Amino acid sequence: HYIQQEPDTTRLESITSSAFFRINNQYKIFGHYSHDIENDATRSWGIGYDMEKRCWNYKISYKQENVPVSTATGTESRKDSMVYFLIELYPLGGFDYEYR
């Protein structure tokens, strides 16, 4: 004997989309957008540029987020703006050492 409850139906809180455009084999531009459905406000958005080579990559992007903040009078939001710079280095080789 067991009782099964219906699963809670969750409401959709936000919609997020992202896209990129490849300029050629090494370069692309990208972006994303997130919208809060309940509050009808933008959660975050960002754009960026990416370069990929055989032994290293770099990525530059800008992102802006709306961050909810609790205050004594209620809730407010704060906009945080960020710039990201990422460098990825891949190993160029290795060495082997044997001691006898």
Side-chain angles (χ1 to χ4, degrees):
H1 175 83
Y2 69 91
I3 297 173
Q4 181 178 0
Q5 295 180 341
E6 292 295 319
D8 293 316
T9 56
T10 57
R11 293 179 46 200
L12 187 62
E13 294 179 2
S14 66
I15 295 176
T16 302
S17 63
S18 61
F20 70 90
F21 176 73
R22 188 167 292 281
I23 299 169
N24 60 25
N25 288 342
Q26 294 179 346
Y27 304 101
K28 71 178 176 182
I29 54 176
F30 59 90
H32 84 277
Y33 179 79
S34 181
H35 185 78
D36 188 346
I37 296 173
E38 292 181 356
N39 298 323
D40 193 25
T42 300
R43 276 191 173 180
S44 68
W45 66 272
I47 56 172
Y49 175 77
D50 192 0
M51 189 280 303
E52 300 174 1
K53 287 198 174 186
R54 284 190 298 166
C55 58
W56 65 288
N57 298 342
Y58 72 85
K59 185 183 294 188
I60 300 170
S61 62
Y62 174 80
K63 183 176 182 181
Q64 190 175 69
E65 292 182 340
N66 282 339
V67 179
V69 178
S70 296
T71 62
T73 59
T75 59
E76 297 176 358
S77 66
R78 176 185 77 224
K79 287 187 179 180
D80 286 345
S81 299
M82 295 154 274
V83 175
Y84 292 99
F85 184 67
L86 172 69
I87 298 175
E88 294 178 310
L89 302 173
Y90 299 114
L92 300 176
F95 64 91
D96 188 16
Y97 178 75
E98 185 176 322
Y99 179 74
R100 291 184 188 200

Short mmCIF file of all heavy atoms in Angstrom, two decimals, residues 20 30 36 38 44 49 51 55 67 69 95 97 99:
data_model
loop_
_atom_site.label_atom_id
_atom_site.label_comp_id
_atom_site.label_asym_id
_atom_site.label_seq_id
_atom_site.Cartn_x
_atom_site.Cartn_y
_atom_site.Cartn_z
N PHE A 20 25.66 32.66 -30.66
CA PHE A 20 27.00 33.06 -31.06
C PHE A 20 27.06 33.08 -32.58
O PHE A 20 26.26 32.43 -33.26
CB PHE A 20 28.08 32.14 -30.48
CG PHE A 20 28.10 30.76 -31.06
CD1 PHE A 20 28.87 30.47 -32.17
CD2 PHE A 20 27.35 29.74 -30.49
CE1 PHE A 20 28.89 29.19 -32.70
CE2 PHE A 20 27.37 28.47 -31.00
CZ PHE A 20 28.13 28.19 -32.12
N PHE A 30 29.63 36.37 -29.20
CA PHE A 30 28.55 35.67 -28.51
C PHE A 30 27.80 36.63 -27.62
O PHE A 30 28.26 37.73 -27.32
CB PHE A 30 29.10 34.49 -27.70
CG PHE A 30 30.10 34.87 -26.66
CD1 PHE A 30 29.71 35.19 -25.37
CD2 PHE A 30 31.46 34.91 -26.96
CE1 PHE A 30 30.63 35.54 -24.42
CE2 PHE A 30 32.40 35.25 -26.02
CZ PHE A 30 31.98 35.57 -24.74
N ASP A 36 13.36 37.90 -16.35
CA ASP A 36 12.56 37.45 -15.22
C ASP A 36 11.08 37.65 -15.57
O ASP A 36 10.63 38.78 -15.72
CB ASP A 36 12.92 38.23 -13.97
CG ASP A 36 12.28 37.69 -12.72
OD1 ASP A 36 11.34 36.87 -12.82
OD2 ASP A 36 12.70 38.08 -11.62
N GLU A 38 8.32 36.73 -13.77
CA GLU A 38 7.47 37.13 -12.64
C GLU A 38 7.50 38.64 -12.40
O GLU A 38 6.49 39.26 -12.13
CB GLU A 38 7.88 36.39 -11.38
CG GLU A 38 7.58 34.91 -11.42
CD GLU A 38 7.97 34.22 -10.14
OE1 GLU A 38 8.55 34.87 -9.24
OE2 GLU A 38 7.69 33.01 -10.04
N SER A 44 19.86 39.40 -16.51
CA SER A 44 21.24 39.62 -16.91
C SER A 44 21.32 39.62 -18.43
O SER A 44 20.45 39.08 -19.11
CB SER A 44 22.17 38.55 -16.33
OG SER A 44 21.89 37.29 -16.92
N TYR A 49 33.62 38.36 -27.09
CA TYR A 49 34.46 38.03 -28.25
C TYR A 49 35.39 36.90 -27.83
O TYR A 49 35.94 36.93 -26.73
CB TYR A 49 35.24 39.28 -28.65
CG TYR A 49 36.22 39.09 -29.75
CD1 TYR A 49 35.81 39.01 -31.06
CD2 TYR A 49 37.58 39.01 -29.48
CE1 TYR A 49 36.72 38.84 -32.09
CE2 TYR A 49 38.50 38.85 -30.50
CZ TYR A 49 38.06 38.77 -31.80
OH TYR A 49 38.96 38.59 -32.81
N MET A 51 38.54 34.08 -29.19
CA MET A 51 39.53 33.68 -30.17
C MET A 51 40.11 32.35 -29.74
O MET A 51 40.49 32.17 -28.59
CB MET A 51 40.65 34.72 -30.26
CG MET A 51 41.63 34.52 -31.40
SD MET A 51 42.93 33.28 -31.18
CE MET A 51 43.74 33.82 -29.73
N CYS A 55 47.11 26.35 -29.50
CA CYS A 55 47.78 26.22 -28.21
C CYS A 55 47.28 27.22 -27.16
O CYS A 55 47.69 27.14 -26.01
CB CYS A 55 49.29 26.33 -28.37
SG CYS A 55 49.81 27.86 -29.13
N VAL A 67 20.79 42.43 -9.36
CA VAL A 67 20.89 41.64 -8.14
C VAL A 67 19.88 42.17 -7.13
O VAL A 67 19.92 43.35 -6.78
CB VAL A 67 22.33 41.73 -7.56
CG1 VAL A 67 22.44 40.94 -6.28
CG2 VAL A 67 23.34 41.30 -8.58
N VAL A 69 18.33 43.08 -3.61
CA VAL A 69 18.92 43.42 -2.33
C VAL A 69 17.80 43.68 -1.33
O VAL A 69 16.88 44.44 -1.62
CB VAL A 69 19.82 44.68 -2.47
CG1 VAL A 69 20.40 45.08 -1.12
CG2 VAL A 69 20.90 44.47 -3.48
N PHE A 95 58.01 16.30 -20.97
CA PHE A 95 59.31 15.65 -20.91
C PHE A 95 59.17 14.40 -20.07
O PHE A 95 58.27 14.27 -19.26
CB PHE A 95 60.38 16.60 -20.36
CG PHE A 95 60.16 17.01 -18.95
CD1 PHE A 95 60.70 16.27 -17.90
CD2 PHE A 95 59.40 18.13 -18.65
CE1 PHE A 95 60.49 16.65 -16.59
CE2 PHE A 95 59.18 18.50 -17.33
CZ PHE A 95 59.73 17.77 -16.30
N TYR A 97 61.41 11.69 -17.64
CA TYR A 97 62.65 11.51 -16.89
C TYR A 97 62.57 10.15 -16.20
O TYR A 97 61.57 9.81 -15.59
CB TYR A 97 62.81 12.62 -15.85
CG TYR A 97 64.05 12.46 -15.02
CD1 TYR A 97 65.30 12.76 -15.54
CD2 TYR A 97 63.98 12.01 -13.71
CE1 TYR A 97 66.44 12.61 -14.77
CE2 TYR A 97 65.10 11.85 -12.96
CZ TYR A 97 66.33 12.16 -13.49
OH TYR A 97 67.46 12.00 -12.74
N TYR A 99 64.80 7.59 -13.62
CA TYR A 99 65.92 7.48 -12.71
C TYR A 99 66.13 6.01 -12.38
O TYR A 99 65.21 5.29 -12.02
CB TYR A 99 65.65 8.25 -11.43
CG TYR A 99 66.76 8.16 -10.41
CD1 TYR A 99 67.93 8.87 -10.61
CD2 TYR A 99 66.62 7.35 -9.28
CE1 TYR A 99 68.96 8.76 -9.68
CE2 TYR A 99 67.64 7.24 -8.37
CZ TYR A 99 68.81 7.96 -8.57
OH TYR A 99 69.83 7.88 -7.67
#
